[in-house]
Amino acid sequence: MTDSTIESILQEKRTFPPSADFAAAAHIKSLADYQALYDRAAADPAGFWAELAQQELDWFEPWTQTLDWQPPFVKWFVGGKLNISHNCLDRHLATARKNKAALIWEGEPGDSRVLTYAQLHREVCKCANALKGLGIGKGDVVGIYMPMIPEAAIAMLACARIGAPHSVVFGGFSAEALRDRLNDAQCKAVITADGGFRKGMAVALKPQVDKALANDAAPSVEHVLVVKRTGDAIAMVEGRDHWWHDLQPKASAHCPAEPMDSEDLLFILYTSGSTGKPKGVVHSTGGYNLYTHMTLKWAFDLQETDIYWCTADVGWITGHSYIVYGPLSNGATTVMYEGAPSAANPGCFWDVIEKYGVTIFYTAPTAVRAFIKMGDEHPNARDLTSLRLLGTVGEPINPEAWMWYHRVIGAERCPIVDTWWQTETGGFMLTPLPGAIATKPGSATKPFPGIIAEIVDLDGNPVPDNTGGYLVIKHPWPSAIRTVFGDDDRYRSTYWEHIPPKDGQYFYFAGDGARRDEDGYFWVMGRVDDVVNVSGHRLGTMEIESALVSHPAVAEAAVVGKPDDLKGEDIVAFVILEGEAVPSDALATELKRHVVSEIGAIARPGEIRFSEALPKTRSGKIMRRLLRNLAAGQEIAGDTSTLEDRSVLDKLRGGA
Ligand code: 7RM
């Protein structure tokens, strides 16, 4: 965040209570109702969730134990059997939802498609059978590397249906990043497309898969299933590669959902941390189904007639939980959009809202800021009166952007639901319940019922109101990360050891700094670890450094975030070159391109700064805090006594 953002958040005093009309029709209608739910859940979390799981989901077999908490490992609804694809599809078919739109898709060059629940169920069953035909079954991990097309959701639900955990890799990741993820999860198959459309241009995907699999570099992968989307010519490897349009029509539309254990692995999703390679976050079936269902229903006050649109990509957790599973489990109509905001199409979001009469709209602060820049005339020229609720996620929203969203998009009528959560939490943790909790611009307000959140110091002691500290969660919740795939030690050390357990109390460490005000509202300030948040995308500085160092001209690199008005943060890389290499603009451009090819365009550094040395502690740790000051053009703040060689700072200042 920029200093001015922090300043304005600290001074923010405005509150926006729910309107009487909104509250009267909402699922949770008053602060007293929220408080009662919160207190009930806090007094007996297991009982609270058990009641909801019974009411809201279909179970093939009941569970025998609601919560099994053996810190830091948690299980929910032990022994229960269910299938999330059944809960998202089959159970709606016996109701009036059968012919309701489940998925509305708006493709980039003007394509569109609507699938009713009955149609989506049919497509999912066929895809599930096609996968079975390739020998994919329960427990086999399937990689999904797709553009934003209905087949991405169909593929996810088909995997879930047969008990094959999916591992979705964002379509913007490079072949290298894809290969690492396929290998880590030991994927047996990959579902992809020839390509997709991004800002009006075709972007190739299958050639990236070919590159990832070349020279047997991902030997676990036996099959590649390819959707034809762009129609661009691609190579097909005999025996390995199969066209979706060949297999799908031949497959039977009858495929019973596999009864899954509540704790069976539903999916793996890779996310960045402060050290090492990305972590495979593991989510299991029952708790995840329940929690994404309940949070969407209550925090977005989902009603039967809503047209709900989340602008995320299915490659991120937001797409998993709140484009696919949460909305479909609730029997809602979910909109999926292949496009992205761009100056060339400054009205694109507002066109989609007008075209489909979107009632609930969920996007990221970075998108809001981009649209502010493009001008009010674009939203003002569209009919946005269908909207009744606006959501935001991904990074702290600055009060200026909040107010614009409220005024220009929400016409001062729509509650703004700022949801704080993470890949690891599976669903919203801090969020207003819009009929109950007054909002404050820049605050994700209060914990969802059942979530015990606290701001503590490194010893686990709560800090006073309005004092910065670490955001922790003190009781397990149903959709909590179960482990890091294949690495229980890393799970333990990343989330449970930063703040050591005390008197039997464990602290889930979120990695965010935050404070709580005198009204009990949480204000999340941003990451306290070496993670940068660029346009709401989470990237480990270490991953980018490794990519840079893999270039022959680079000896050493240190990456930090720098405040950016539009993206929240931008990436600045301090680079020390190998002996022969000479700094130049051309080399800087080449290094940026190299990072893009190693990780993907989301990781492209905004700035490369060549330097002769990096500020290090005597134990050899790069002092990123100092680099952050330099990158932001600020004076070096705080203690520099641990610095090994103080002359480095002068060199860096001079060399910048
Ligand atoms: C859903 C998602 C998680 C990190 C998290 C925060 C930041 C997300 C908010 C937010 C302030 C918010 N998953 N973050 N939402 N910060 N207010 N409403 O983004 O795993 O990709 O990122 O994003 O730092 O730790 S994520």
Side-chain angles (χ1 to χ4, degrees):
M1 276 193 285
T2 61
D3 282 355
S4 64
T5 301
I6 293 174
E7 197 55 31
S8 58
I9 286 183
L10 285 173
Q11 284 168 8
E12 186 55 57
K13 291 275 180 262
R14 287 169 288 200
T15 60
F16 295 82
S19 73
D21 287 354
F22 191 98
H27 289 297
I28 315 298
K29 300 179 195 306
S30 67
L31 189 57
D33 286 359
Y34 162 78
Q35 203 57 52
L37 274 174
Y38 184 87
D39 293 344
R40 150 89 175 101
D44 172 21
F48 173 76
W49 291 117
E51 207 171 282
L52 291 171
Q54 195 66 54
Q55 253 169 48
E56 301 280 331
L57 301 183
D58 270 13
W59 295 82
F60 299 146
E61 279 177 42
W63 60 91
T64 52
Q65 185 185 0
T66 305
L67 171 63
D68 176 7
W69 174 223
Q70 299 185 28
F73 297 98
V74 68
K75 293 179 181 167
W76 283 93
F77 312 113
V78 180
K81 300 252 191 277
L82 77 168
N83 186 297
I84 196 169
S85 156
H86 168 90
N87 276 316
C88 287
L89 301 167
D90 308 49
R91 66 168 168 157
H92 304 311
L93 301 186
T95 73
R97 289 178 183 147
K98 181 175 180 184
N99 295 317
K100 173 179 176 174
L103 186 71
I104 295 178
W105 174 68
E106 180 72 12
E108 255 241 315
D111 298 345
S112 62
R113 198 173 158 195
V114 179
L115 288 156
T116 64
Y117 272 93
Q119 290 168 324
L120 183 60
H121 173 260
R122 187 182 160 81
E123 292 299 318
V124 169
C125 286
K126 281 172 158 280
C127 179
N129 280 324
L131 290 172
K132 280 188 186 170
L134 294 175
I136 310 295
K138 194 169 177 169
D140 294 329
V141 185
V142 176
I144 297 180
Y145 185 63
M146 294 275 257
M148 283 288 285
I149 56 177
E151 287 81 357
I154 293 167
M156 290 164 74
L157 291 159
C159 287
R161 194 165 188 87
I162 63 174
H166 54 70
S167 170
V168 182
V169 178
F170 172 57
F173 276 121
S174 67
E176 283 71 19
L178 173 63
R179 183 196 55 215
D180 292 347
R181 286 159 177 76
L182 295 175
N183 279 327
D184 190 78
Q186 287 294 294
C187 290
K188 193 166 169 185
V190 182
I191 307 177
T192 188
D194 48 1
F197 292 99
R198 205 81 200 147
K199 300 191 177 170
M201 288 194 322
V203 180
L205 287 172
K206 173 63 165 54
Q208 301 288 340
V209 175
D210 291 339
K211 210 170 150 194
L213 301 185
N215 305 317
D216 212 18
S220 60
V221 176
E222 295 169 16
H223 294 285
V224 180
L225 185 54
V226 189
V227 177
K228 186 177 243 158
R229 166 74 184 121
T230 60
D232 286 346
I234 53 164
M236 295 291 279
V237 175
E238 182 75 42
R240 185 195 75 180
D241 300 348
H242 317 269
W243 283 110
W244 176 290
H245 60 252
D246 283 340
L247 302 189
Q248 187 80 353
K250 289 183 216 144
S252 155
H254 177 73
C255 177
E258 185 75 31
M260 300 301 289
D261 194 279
S262 176
E263 278 304 323
D264 275 338
L265 174 54
L266 174 62
F267 65 83
I268 305 166
L269 184 60
Y270 287 82
T271 193
S272 298
S274 43
T275 52
K277 56 188 173 98
K279 301 180 288 268
V281 171
V282 167
H283 281 291
S284 63
T285 306
Y288 177 85
N289 192 163
L290 177 65
Y291 197 76
T292 53
H293 179 103
M294 287 320 304
T295 46
L296 186 66
K297 180 167 175 174
W298 285 352
F300 284 177
D301 187 45
L302 197 61
Q303 305 287 343
E304 195 60 50
T305 51
D306 275 314
I307 305 289
Y308 162 77
W309 180 25
C310 164
T311 67
D313 191 285
V314 289
W316 311 118
I317 191 69
T318 307
H320 283 58
S321 301
Y322 299 113
I323 294 177
V324 180
Y325 292 118
L328 297 177
S329 179
N330 277 288
T333 297
T334 184
V335 176
M336 187 175 183
Y337 178 54
E338 195 183 14
S342 75
N345 194 357
C348 63
F349 276 17
W350 324 125
D351 284 337
V352 174
I353 292 173
E354 183 178 83
K355 179 170 176 188
Y356 296 108
V358 170
T359 57
I360 303 177
F361 177 62
Y362 187 32
T363 195
T366 188
V368 173
R369 289 191 298 264
F371 282 114
I372 293 175
K373 240 183 157 170
M374 293 179 216
D376 295 11
E377 63 272 26
H378 305 291
N380 287 345
R382 273 81 178 177
D383 180 2
L384 304 181
T385 52
S386 57
L387 288 171
R388 65 179 202 91
L389 185 146
L390 303 173
T392 159
V393 63
E395 55 174 316
I397 182 163
N398 47 309
E400 295 69 27
W402 197 102
M403 287 306 298
W404 183 87
Y405 200 25
H406 172 69
R407 192 171 45 80
V408 180
I409 307 306
E412 300 182 7
R413 173 189 76 240
C414 305
I416 295 198
V417 178
D418 180 350
T419 60
W420 175 85
W421 60 295
Q422 310 177 293
T423 307
E424 293 88 341
T425 69
F428 309 155
M429 303 299 278
L430 301 176
T431 175
L433 300 188
I437 298 177
T439 55
K440 302 188 188 189
S443 169
T445 76
K446 300 197 175 212
F448 195 79
I451 301 305
I452 315 298
E454 187 79 72
I455 316 278
V456 299
D457 63 20
L458 278 178
D459 298 320
N461 301 311
V463 300
D465 285 353
N466 287 311
T467 310
Y470 301 97
L471 179 52
V472 296
I473 312 294
K474 291 171 49 179
H475 191 278
W477 63 101
S479 63
I481 174 176
R482 294 305 194 255
T483 189
V484 171
F485 189 71
D487 200 343
D488 286 349
D489 287 342
R490 196 162 172 213
Y491 165 70
R492 195 181 279 111
S493 66
T494 307
Y495 304 106
W496 301 98
E497 285 176 352
H498 284 275
I499 298 172
K502 204 169 65 169
D503 308 326
Q505 173 66 57
Y506 277 71
F507 301 92
Y508 168 81
F509 180 77
D512 279 315
R515 71 183 169 93
R516 187 164 51 188
D517 70 16
E518 58 284 0
D519 301 324
Y521 280 54
F522 287 75
W523 300 77
V524 177
M525 309 311 282
R527 303 291 303 190
V528 295
D529 53 9
D530 292 325
V531 167
V532 282
N533 189 329
V534 183
S535 301
H537 298 316
R538 186 173 149 181
L539 293 155
T541 51
M542 192 94 140
E543 290 165 74
I544 306 167
E545 287 163 9
S546 311
L548 283 164
V549 174
S550 74
H551 189 282
V554 176
E556 210 180 344
V559 164
V560 295
K562 163 184 155 178
D564 183 279
D565 284 343
L566 217 53
K567 303 178 190 172
E569 277 187 292
D570 197 4
I571 296 164
V572 178
F574 291 84
V575 168
I576 302 178
L577 294 176
E578 287 286 357
E580 305 287 283
V582 204
S584 69
D585 287 349
L587 183 55
T589 307
E590 185 182 324
L591 293 179
K592 289 180 190 174
R593 213 179 290 138
H594 181 69
V595 173
V596 172
S597 93
E598 288 290 307
I599 304 174
I602 54 169
R604 183 200 308 272
E607 201 184 321
I608 302 271
R609 292 200 187 190
F610 296 107
S611 51
E612 287 171 39
L614 295 171
K616 288 189 182 165
T617 63
R618 272 167 259 269
S619 61
K621 287 201 177 67
I622 296 173
M623 294 182 73
R624 287 203 179 69
R625 174 171 57 85
L626 306 184
L627 294 176
R628 270 195 290 273
N629 289 152
L630 284 170
Q634 300 162 339
E635 275 309 301
I636 301 288
D639 182 29
T640 55
S641 60
T642 50
L643 200 58
E644 187 196 34
D645 174 3
R646 300 187 56 88
S647 71
V648 169
L649 285 184
D650 297 323
K651 282 188 201 144
L652 279 165
R653 282 199 197 94

